[in-house]
Amino acid sequence: MTRPMLTQREAAAACGVSRTTIRRRREAGDLPGAVQDEARGWLIPVGDLLAAGLRLNAPAGPAADSVAGSGGHQEHEQGDAVAALRAELAAERYGRQLAEANAEHLRAQLAARMEIVEHLQQALAVACSPGFTAVLGQGSRTPAGSA
């Protein structure tokens, strides 16, 4: 199963923290599933962000707003909003994948148990058949120690 992955920039925007915070958390080992991609840079699993105590779609602080100058402020906010939506979508997909995997696991367990029930029903039918009970009755009359 593929986990949703965000770039450091997307993760920072989605969690309302700086890219430096994400980098420091990754370097500290708080994001163990992070992998480096040649094209996109560091990719952070959404599950790692949540496990590290970061909240997705957390409001960005004033420091994040001051990073983009007055000219690029609106573009920065739009980029953050897009990253937050992507993170939310990735988290939803990941949750759906987990639910589907769990459902498949439960279906497999149910099938195995249904097979056991079928075998038990067959054994019970044999045990309750007249021929089987007659054999049991004859066996119970055999004295102990003689075969």
Side-chain angles (χ1 to χ4, degrees), residues 39 54 103 112 136:
L54 297 167
L136 282 180

Side-chain angles (χ1 to χ4, degrees), residues 11-137:
C15 296
V17 298
S18 69
R19 282 182 293 186
T20 304
T21 298
I22 297 296
R23 179 184 50 79
R24 274 185 277 167
R25 299 292 294 268
R26 178 183 50 77
E27 290 174 351
D30 295 339
L31 307 169
V35 293
Q36 195 163 22
D37 180 72
E38 290 182 22
R40 296 180 65 199
W42 282 99
L43 299 177
I44 315 295
V46 171
D48 280 11
L49 294 169
L50 298 173
L54 297 167
R55 293 183 312 139
L56 293 180
N57 301 320
D65 290 339
S66 66
V67 171
S70 59
H73 184 70
Q74 187 175 11
E75 289 177 15
H76 180 71
E77 285 181 357
Q78 289 174 345
D80 286 351
V82 168
L85 289 172
R86 285 182 180 156
E88 186 176 344
L89 178 62
E92 291 290 330
R93 285 181 182 154
Y94 184 59
R96 186 175 54 241
Q97 288 172 343
L98 287 176
E100 288 172 359
N102 191 34
E104 182 60 32
H105 174 71
L106 291 173
R107 279 191 287 272
Q109 281 186 331
L110 179 61
R113 290 193 172 126
M114 288 302 296
E115 189 175 325
I116 291 170
V117 168
E118 287 176 21
H119 288 299
L120 290 172
Q121 287 174 334
Q122 291 171 358
L124 183 60
V126 169
C128 292
S129 67
F132 186 78
T133 53
V135 169
L136 282 180

